[in-house]
Amino acid sequence: MEAIKNVLGKYENEYIEDYKPTWVKAKFKNPKDLLNIVKDLKEVGVETCSTVSPTDFIDENKIEVNYFLEDLINKKNVWLKFDLPRELEECKIDSITPLMPSADWHELEAYSTYGVKFEGHPNLRYFLISADYFGKFPFRKDFDWKKHEESLIQNIDDITSEWLDEYEENKKTLPKDGSETVLHWGPTHPASGPIRLVVGVDGENIKWVDPDIGYVWRALEHLVERKDFVGAITSVERICFMDNPNPMICYSEAVEEIAGKEITRFAKLMRVLLGEIGRCASHLISMGGFFGNAGLHTFVMWTMDIREYFLDVLEDYSGARIATASVEPGGVRYPMPDNWLETLEKAIKKYEDTVPDMLDIFINNPLMKTRAINTAKISREDVITNYMAGPIARASGVKLDVRIDEPYAGYDEIEMDYVTCENGDVYDRLYIFFKELNQSMDIMKQAIAKIKEGIEKGEMNPKKDHLVRMPRRMPAGEAVTRVEWARGEMLMHLVTGEKATSPYRLKLKAPSVNHTMVLDSLLRGKTLSDIPLIYGSMHICQGDLDR
Amino acid sequence: MFDNIWFQILVFPGLVFLLAWTFFVFYFARKTLAYIHKRVGPHFNGPAGSLQTIYDIFKLLTKENITPKTADPYLFNIIPLVTPIVAALPVILIPWTPLMHNGVVLDTNYGVLGLVVLIGVEPFLLFLTGFGSNNKYSFLGGMRVLAQMLSMETPFFLAALSPAILFGTMNLHDIMYSNTWLTTLILLPGAIIFIIAMLGILEQPPFNIPEAEQEIVYGFYTEYSGTNYVLLKFAEFTEILVVSAAAVTLFFGGYRGLFFDSFFCLFLKIVLIAIVMVAIRASNPRLRLDQMLKFAWSWLVPLAVLNIVWIIFAKLYILGA
């Protein structure tokens, strides 16, 4: 920490302060210093960029750019802030992508939505947003959404013409004879989901891959600003349907931090339970989907069968199976129903009964091993440069888990250790999910025991302790919270104004962005058959990719 | 009745029988797979959903037949007509029931030869469907069919040869009646190679590489719809019937049963093979094209050659011919 502070102190700053146990927060006066700061930080071990988040302060006529940099090995994080003028011509800052490749798509996203120009970015282009938003920078506070939607026909024409242009360009650039062509893997492909991989192939061999994302871009970061603090959870939870409670936990922690409220121990443990249920539901789909991508649909049916039991638990709690809206600022939304813990124990038992069959038939399947072992390895260095998060990083042997590094909710009470695999190949990226499921079951058992004990001793009241009253109006402030989401680190940066009733700005950082970013380097030189397998092994969810 | 040529063409083992088989195996595969998947499968139409496949096929027949603008219209539409006929031709060589003369429609001394040649032509027609569609995915599927055909047919032919060598005849009826418990054991390695190669020829998992939907959409089927699609599917199921019946006839004594000889003994054996196929399909992911090639050429072909050596050895020293 001191080393980082020394480095940052060399540059002209407004303040350098500690923030939470693992963060250093610093605001600098001169944006020109950015590259030197990042260079110096790299020397003290901060090598990864988590995300870039601009905030538009229209009243002060400035855009504040936040950089969230992380040292994955020593668990030290840096939060840098720079002020830029709002005018499009002067809203420029140096790109850190050449120094930290993990910032690549995050910078593109900031450019497309806020118009912050990153000078020196290797390929600065509009990204994520559809063609009708090009050059309009929709997340700026002065963008008029209603007016934009009035010219509907023109917008559709813009999108279509972008497609046709691409088609024409392919016609020109591709050789007339020979076996080279461009294949589209998605967006309506049996295994892709709403993402389009533009694959340049020579016969069956892949020359290059260019992921085209944004098919489910719902502008969630903007939708949150239209809602009040509780209503915002409905936008936040729609990041991805597979792991539903964890994003809400992340958002609620940020709101509580700004409000300065502490929630009850019961609510914290309930958050652990709900978070782990979400993780199990998501991991089960991910594992099944991996085999589905390899052409075997039995496993996905089996895992769906187990998942139903976990969804039953969520339904008992909140009335909904997928979009539960079960966590809100101040605790968890509902009191605990009677016999709810027994339903959860039933689900855990169902999973544990199926484990031997799962291992024998699927996880140790020799044909799957032939395809997966030693395919598309991700080394520890790749994890750090490109910031592979969560299970993907742990499959490569990097000890990375927000639940342990920066405990939130009730995780500080839980005994757990990093689960890792060694090789970082496709097989490990499947096997890690199995290991993590077992770990989740263990965590849930611990939390259940703690809640039962608390109720017996009379320390907790499951009917009243679930929620503490939150202030109606928030003070001005900002917070950064992280949770270990099913697919990796989820980071939220929340900014509120004075006496606010709704968030001023919420940046959602989700891990799938980085996981999609590396597809090109993973797939180059492989064959067409490897696309579904490797793509499936990255466990990408388009919901959190596009937001 | 069974020796009447029109009865043979139209009813058994001709059109009606093949259609009935298509409906049956479609339903059977769906239901068995659903059971392994922990699903219900077809349920609402007919007893236990048995009419569902019939409805599905008639629904497809009423659908519009779309020929893509870029496709070769003649090739695209003619191949689906030729394929089921070629797929159904080997039916005349297989001994179906003792009610017919010698059990077969066409009693010939070159049965095994006719069978492997007619089965071997089929994948080439499927390649032509992909070629005629003039679509990138279809074409890749077609190329994969060709690669798979070349590598899988070698062990297939060699394995089919082993009973002919052992019994010294290519007449399928004779082969069937020469089979004893001892020769079945001798032929067992050949039978296993035959069934593995059969999965490759029929494009069944784990060798369903040409129609890998996660990779190349639906391979050579991609552009087909309506009646053409039904015809191609009909050809596929007919081929499954023919090849499994060939396996049973060559290695497991055809329609001979433990207590009586009947078509139903043959049918039961075919269903057993179908169950094995569905079980493999339900528990194994797809192989990669290059892994399939490597498996075929560095394991299956050498083993098939060794199997021939073993058959000759067994013929000389065990059966003492």
Side-chain angles (χ1 to χ4, degrees), chain A residues 163-429:
Chain A
W163 270 88
L164 295 175
D165 288 351
E166 193 188 316
Y167 182 71
E168 288 299 321
E169 199 176 315
N170 278 344
K171 252 187 177 176
K172 274 179 214 154
T173 48
L174 286 174
K176 286 272 174 291
D177 44 357
S179 49
E180 271 182 53
T181 184
V182 172
L183 283 182
H184 296 272
W185 200 79
T188 53
H189 192 280
S192 71
I195 182 181
R196 180 169 68 116
L197 300 186
V198 188
V199 189
V201 288
D202 182 0
E204 292 252 347
N205 300 321
I206 299 170
K207 291 269 176 204
W208 47 267
V209 176
D210 180 16
D212 176 21
I213 70 171
Y215 287 89
V216 281
W217 180 64
R218 295 147 290 172
L220 286 180
E221 290 172 20
H222 170 73
L223 286 181
V224 167
E225 293 166 14
R226 291 193 192 178
K227 297 187 158 76
D228 63 9
F229 280 103
V230 175
I233 59 172
T234 55
S235 293
V236 169
E237 70 173 344
R238 273 161 179 77
I239 285 183
C240 179
F241 78 96
M242 295 203 261
D243 179 1
N244 173 266
N246 275 321
M248 289 186 282
I249 296 176
C250 191
Y251 166 76
S252 305
E253 300 254 326
V255 177
E256 285 148 16
E257 189 186 320
I258 291 178
K261 287 272 181 183
E262 178 78 10
I263 62 169
T264 59
R265 178 163 172 258
F266 172 72
K268 282 182 178 174
L269 287 170
M270 281 298 281
R271 282 186 180 178
V272 170
L273 278 183
L274 287 169
E276 293 305 319
I277 293 169
R279 191 184 320 280
C280 290
S282 168
H283 276 18
L284 286 167
I285 292 196
S286 292
M287 282 192 352
F290 174 85
F291 275 91
N293 278 2
L296 172 62
H297 295 290
T298 315
F299 194 41
V300 71
M301 298 291 164
W302 285 30
T303 52
M304 286 288 189
D305 179 34
I306 307 170
R307 178 173 170 266
E308 287 299 304
Y309 283 75
F310 286 100
L311 295 189
D312 283 346
V313 181
L314 287 180
E315 191 185 0
D316 275 7
Y317 181 65
S318 69
R321 295 170 81 81
I322 304 284
T324 58
S326 53
V327 182
E328 69 170 51
V332 285
R333 198 172 169 85
Y334 306 100
M336 191 171 79
D338 299 331
N339 296 330
W340 188 67
L341 295 176
E342 283 72 31
T343 322
L344 181 54
E345 274 165 352
K346 210 173 111 193
I348 296 175
K349 187 165 182 311
K350 167 75 182 171
Y351 169 78
E352 282 171 351
D353 288 348
T354 325
V355 163
D357 279 353
M358 267 162 57
L359 268 179
D360 286 352
I361 305 177
F362 301 105
I363 307 225
N364 291 329
N365 185 304
L367 287 187
M368 196 276 290
K369 280 187 169 176
T370 335
R371 286 199 66 177
I373 284 184
N374 286 335
T375 310
K377 274 192 179 180
I378 295 180
S379 66
R380 292 171 63 95
E381 289 71 38
D382 290 341
V383 168
I384 290 166
T385 17
N386 294 316
Y387 197 6
M388 306 285 97
I392 312 287
R394 291 194 284 273
S396 301
V398 180
K399 292 190 170 174
L400 198 64
D401 193 330
V402 183
R403 287 174 291 180
I404 303 172
D405 303 339
E406 195 183 301
Y408 57 94
Y411 281 104
D412 45 356
E413 291 183 39
I414 306 284
E415 279 174 31
M416 59 185 288
D417 199 8
Y418 300 100
V419 285
T420 50
C421 288
E422 291 304 312
N423 266 329
D425 54 12
V426 170
Y427 179 71
D428 278 358
R429 291 203 286 276

Side-chain angles (χ1 to χ4, degrees), chain A residues 46-61:
Chain A
V46 184
E47 295 190 51
T48 318
C49 174
S50 176
T51 190
V52 181
S53 153
T55 312
D56 183 12
F57 290 106
I58 191 163
D59 297 336
E60 298 163 48
N61 199 26

Side-chain angles (χ1 to χ4, degrees), chain B residues 180-241:
Chain B
T180 60
W181 287 105
L182 178 65
T183 54
T184 305
L185 273 183
I186 294 173
L187 286 172
L188 200 60
I192 291 170
I193 294 170
F194 189 90
I195 287 176
I196 293 175
M198 178 179 108
L199 292 177
I201 296 225
L202 296 175
E203 285 139 26
Q204 288 296 314
F207 302 113
N208 56 345
I209 299 162
E211 50 188 77
E213 57 173 356
Q214 287 81 3
E215 295 156 22
I216 47 172
V217 189
Y218 206 175
F220 49 86
Y221 282 122
T222 305
E223 294 288 1
Y224 280 97
S225 56
T227 316
N228 280 348
Y229 179 72
V230 170
L231 288 170
L232 284 175
K233 273 286 167 193
F234 174 64
E236 189 186 316
F237 286 121
T238 309
E239 217 195 337
I240 290 179
L241 170 72

Side-chain angles (χ1 to χ4, degrees), chain A residues 91-205:
Chain A
C91 190
K92 290 176 196 166
I93 195 163
D94 288 316
S95 165
I96 60 166
T97 306
L99 295 172
M100 292 183 177
S102 45
D104 188 345
W105 282 15
H106 298 282
E107 285 187 347
L108 291 181
E109 195 185 316
Y111 169 60
S112 311
T113 50
Y114 278 92
V116 181
K117 217 170 243 158
F118 292 92
E119 290 182 321
H121 189 283
N123 185 7
L124 194 66
R125 60 191 191 274
Y126 291 117
F127 187 72
L128 181 70
I129 54 177
S130 54
D132 51 329
Y133 288 100
F134 283 3
K136 294 179 184 167
F137 310 120
F139 283 177
R140 285 192 167 215
K141 290 279 174 187
D142 52 359
F143 179 77
D144 191 344
W145 291 83
K146 282 218 171 99
K147 193 164 164 257
H148 179 80
E149 276 155 29
E150 273 165 17
S151 50
L152 188 66
I153 303 294
Q154 181 58 39
N155 295 345
I156 294 172
D157 282 349
D158 287 346
I159 297 171
T160 331
S161 66
E162 195 210 3
W163 270 88
L164 295 175
D165 288 351
E166 193 188 316
Y167 182 71
E168 288 299 321
E169 199 176 315
N170 278 344
K171 252 187 177 176
K172 274 179 214 154
T173 48
L174 286 174
K176 286 272 174 291
D177 44 357
S179 49
E180 271 182 53
T181 184
V182 172
L183 283 182
H184 296 272
W185 200 79
T188 53
H189 192 280
S192 71
I195 182 181
R196 180 169 68 116
L197 300 186
V198 188
V199 189
V201 288
D202 182 0
E204 292 252 347
N205 300 321

Side-chain angles (χ1 to χ4, degrees), chain A residues 467-483:
Chain A
L467 211 53
V468 295
R469 184 175 281 276
M470 295 294 282
R472 197 157 285 249
R473 287 178 179 276
M474 292 287 160
E478 59 180 331
V480 170
T481 46
R482 298 192 294 161
V483 297

